[in-house]
Amino acid sequence: MPGRLLVSVLLLLVTAPAALAETAIEGRAILFYTDDVALFSATRRFNLDGDPTQPALDSSLIGKGSDMVFEPEVTVMKSVASRLGRTEFSFRGQGYIYAVDPGFNHGTFGLQMLHHIDQNTRVRLRYYSAPDLLLGDNESRRTDSIQEERVTSHIGSLRLEHNLSKQWEVRLLARYGARLYNDEWAQRDTTFWTIGPHLVWHFMEHYALVAGYHYERGLADGRNQPQFEDDTSYVNNYVTLGLEAEVTKRLSAEIGLHFERNDWTSGLEGDERKGGHETVWQGDCKFRYRVSERVAILAGFQRSQRKQSFEGEVARDINVFLGGSYTF
C-alpha cells in the first residue's frame, strides 16, 4: 500500500499540466556531530512535526560514543490549481551516513498533500517511513543471545488547520502508525494512534509562539506473549512550546522546548517496565540565513535527556549541525 501511494503521488508530480502546476526542488546537505550515536535518531526527530514517540530504547543500547553524521536531503514540491482550490504535493527523501559506525546508516522518506479548502482552512495528509533502522546490539529474549535490534516505522497522519484570525491559528492532529521489528524482537511490534491540538499565536509581525500537545496509545504484541516478559505498550503525553521568529529579512530562527512522559502499561510479572515510566526533556534551536534567493545556510543545536524510573542513570545527548540548502 505505501509503495502504491508513493508511485501515485510521484506520477501526479510528473504529469500535472504545466499551465496549472508549479514545481520546486530543494536540496540540503547537513553535517551533524552527536555525542551518543544510539540516541541521535531519537533526538533528531523529537519535535512537533517529527516523530517524538520513538521506539523503546533499553539502557544497554545507549552510551555508544560520538560520531559525525552526514544528512543529504531532497524535497520535490508541486503546487496544482483546480476548481477545488490549490493543492500542494511534496516528496522528501533523507539519508543518514555515519562516519565512525556505518551500521547505523539509514534512510527515510515522506509524502505530503496540503489542500487549501479556502483562504483560512487547510487539510494536510502525510505518510512517513523509516525502514530498517538499527537501534543497536541488544540481548534478545527470544534467542537468549546478542542480536541486532532493528525497526521499520510506517506513520500516516491527518491535520486540519484553521486561521481563527490574523493572530490565531488552531490545528488538530490525528495519526496512526506501526513499528515493526526484526524477528528476534517481534514481541515489540507496536501499533499506535495519536491525537492532539496545536495552537499558533502570531503575537507580532514575523514572530509566533507555537504550543502543542499529543496523547498517544501504543500496543505491543508482547502484552500477549508473557513468556518473553517484554511488553513495551505505553501511554504517552507530549507537550511542546516554541518560538518562530523572522529576525531580519535574511535570518530566521526557531527555538523549542519539548517534554514527554511514557507510562509503560505492562502487566507482566518479571518485566522491568511493569509500573515504570520514562521522561524525556529536550531543548533545541535552529537558524536559517538566506544568502540569496536560492541559497541558505543552516545551523542548530539539540540537547536531550531521558530517564527511566527503574534506572539510576540519566541518558543525555547533544547534536550540533551546520549545513546548507539550494532551491532549484
Side-chain angles (χ1 to χ4, degrees):
M1 181 64 182
R4 293 179 182 177
L5 178 62
L6 174 59
V7 171
S8 299
V9 173
L10 289 178
L11 285 174
L12 181 58
L13 290 176
V14 172
T15 61
L20 300 178
E22 298 178 359
T23 303
I25 301 175
E26 181 182 76
R28 292 189 179 191
I30 301 175
L31 186 63
F32 286 86
Y33 165 81
T34 179
D35 66 354
D36 194 325
V37 65
L39 286 176
F40 169 78
S41 180
T43 303
R44 176 76 176 104
R45 300 183 177 102
F46 193 76
N47 59 71
L48 194 64
D49 289 324
D51 182 20
T53 53
Q54 293 290 303
L57 291 172
D58 295 328
S59 58
S60 58
L61 297 173
I62 298 169
K64 301 303 182 183
S66 61
D67 208 337
M68 301 294 292
V69 185
F70 175 60
E71 177 193 329
E73 175 185 317
V74 62
T75 303
V76 182
M77 299 161 283
K78 175 159 283 190
S79 177
V80 180
S82 71
R83 289 175 297 176
L84 299 177
R86 183 164 55 91
T87 305
E88 299 166 10
F89 298 92
S90 64
F91 167 80
R92 182 175 68 175
Q94 294 171 299
Y96 297 90
I97 303 170
Y98 292 68
V100 177
D101 200 335
F104 285 93
N105 291 354
H106 67 281
T108 70
F109 69 89
L111 299 168
Q112 176 175 277
M113 182 190 76
L114 175 62
H115 179 67
H116 297 256
I117 298 174
D118 57 37
Q119 186 175 358
N120 294 312
T121 307
R122 301 164 297 281
V123 59
R124 189 184 301 266
L125 290 170
R126 284 176 172 168
Y127 169 73
Y128 167 81
S129 181
D132 203 32
L133 172 64
L134 175 66
L135 300 180
D137 293 330
N138 203 355
E139 185 176 355
S140 169
R141 300 192 182 189
R142 287 178 173 265
T143 64
D144 291 324
S145 61
I146 301 298
Q147 300 286 339
E148 284 188 348
E149 185 178 355
R150 292 182 175 272
V151 62
T152 294
S153 298
H154 299 285
I155 304 172
S157 68
L158 167 67
R159 195 169 81 185
L160 298 176
E161 307 172 357
H162 182 70
N163 298 332
L164 299 174
S165 67
K166 290 184 178 180
Q167 288 186 308
W168 294 95
E169 176 187 346
V170 64
R171 306 167 181 169
L172 299 176
L173 172 77
R175 71 175 195 163
Y176 180 82
R179 305 192 195 280
L180 307 176
Y181 290 74
N182 51 326
D183 291 342
E184 293 82 0
W185 300 92
Q187 75 276 7
R188 293 189 172 183
D189 285 355
T190 303
T191 57
F192 60 91
W193 55 268
T194 314
I195 56 173
H198 306 165
L199 187 64
V200 183
W201 177 30
H202 299 273
F203 62 95
M204 291 175 58
E205 188 177 7
H206 307 306
Y207 289 83
L209 283 175
V210 182
Y213 167 75
H214 292 172
Y215 174 89
E216 184 166 301
R217 180 69 167 114
L219 294 173
D221 289 354
R223 70 189 189 282
N224 299 317
Q225 302 173 25
Q227 67 272 29
F228 299 122
E229 301 175 350
D230 188 26
D231 177 12
T232 55
S233 302
Y234 62 89
V235 169
N236 178 276
N237 289 277
Y238 167 78
V239 181
T240 183
L241 181 65
L243 171 67
E244 298 177 354
E246 188 176 331
V247 183
T248 69
K249 290 184 178 181
R250 292 183 178 270
L251 177 65
S252 61
E254 296 181 24
I255 301 172
L257 179 64
H258 321 278
F259 170 79
E260 77 172 10
R261 173 168 167 141
N262 281 313
D263 287 296
W264 307 112
T265 59
S266 174
L268 303 180
E269 294 298 331
D271 189 343
E272 66 177 357
R273 288 185 170 83
K274 182 181 179 183
H277 65 270
E278 176 189 44
T279 56
V280 183
W281 285 94
Q282 181 167 315
D284 51 50
C285 56
K286 294 179 261 186
F287 301 94
R288 179 186 180 94
Y289 183 78
R290 188 168 56 86
V291 179
S292 66
E293 184 178 350
R294 296 181 179 272
V295 179
I297 297 173
L298 312 171
F301 174 86
Q302 299 172 308
R303 185 187 187 281
S304 74
Q305 64 178 49
R306 58 183 63 221
K307 173 71 166 60
Q308 299 272 14
S309 60
F310 46 84
E311 295 177 346
E313 295 184 359
V314 176
R316 296 181 174 87
D317 179 40
I318 293 176
N319 295 337
V320 181
F321 67 87
L322 179 65
S325 68
Y326 185 86
T327 302
F328 297 88

